Amino acid sequence: QVQVVESGGGLVQPGGSLRLSCAASGLPLDAYTIEWFRQAPGKKREGVSCISSVDDYTYYADSVKGRFTLSRDNAKRTVYLQMNSLESEDTAVYYCATRDGPDCSDSGEDYPYWGQGTRVAVAS
């Protein structure tokens, strides 16, 4: 049984940092692509960052490029999203999703496994 669990969300001031974790069990994480999505109130879900199963290629949305860093620790079956210089626009529920194979996709429908989400609020 595949389980995906996010953690690390919270309330942070603008300019602050958070590290989100995505722990996956029941699958060989090193063969799976992981993507973080987020959904802000009243907005569509968007892809934020993705790490491929091939060479750990990483992709970042323009809105987070230079501020967010995605990494994986296959031994711990965990992917980390380090978020720095947070802005109010980053406020959202962040979801971790995973799929078999090397391709990142901004379509959530391409990911069969999802976590429950972790809430990030950036406010002074």
Side-chain angles (χ1 to χ4, degrees):
Q1 181 180 357
V2 176
Q3 282 193 316
V4 179
V5 179
E6 306 97 334
S7 61
L11 174 64
V12 64
Q13 292 186 341
S17 298
L18 282 175
R19 188 177 79 159
L20 304 185
S21 298
C22 172
S25 60
L27 52 82
L29 187 63
D30 57 349
Y32 276 63
T33 288
I34 308 287
E35 180 148 358
W36 283 93
F37 291 83
R38 68 184 180 186
Q39 187 162 21
K43 293 188 177 181
K44 291 177 59 177
R45 184 175 60 196
E46 63 173 343
V48 174
S49 182
C50 177
I51 186 164
S52 170
S53 62
V54 177
D55 297 329
D56 280 351
Y57 168 81
T58 50
Y59 158 83
Y60 299 94
D62 287 342
S63 58
V64 306
K65 204 170 292 183
R67 300 188 297 121
F68 290 12
T69 303
L70 189 58
S71 61
R72 73 159 84 211
D73 184 333
N74 289 329
K76 294 184 177 179
R77 297 179 180 269
T78 301
V79 169
Y80 302 99
L81 183 66
Q82 178 67 43
M83 307 188 297
N84 298 329
S85 302
L86 283 162
E87 305 166 352
S88 58
E89 291 78 13
D90 297 315
T91 294
V93 178
Y94 284 70
Y95 297 91
C96 179
T98 183
R99 61 180 293 191
D100 188 7
D103 298 324
C104 291
S105 172
D106 279 344
S107 173
E109 295 178 352
D110 292 332
Y111 291 86
Y113 306 112
W114 288 77
Q116 80 290 348
T118 186
R119 190 174 302 275
V120 172
V122 184
S124 55

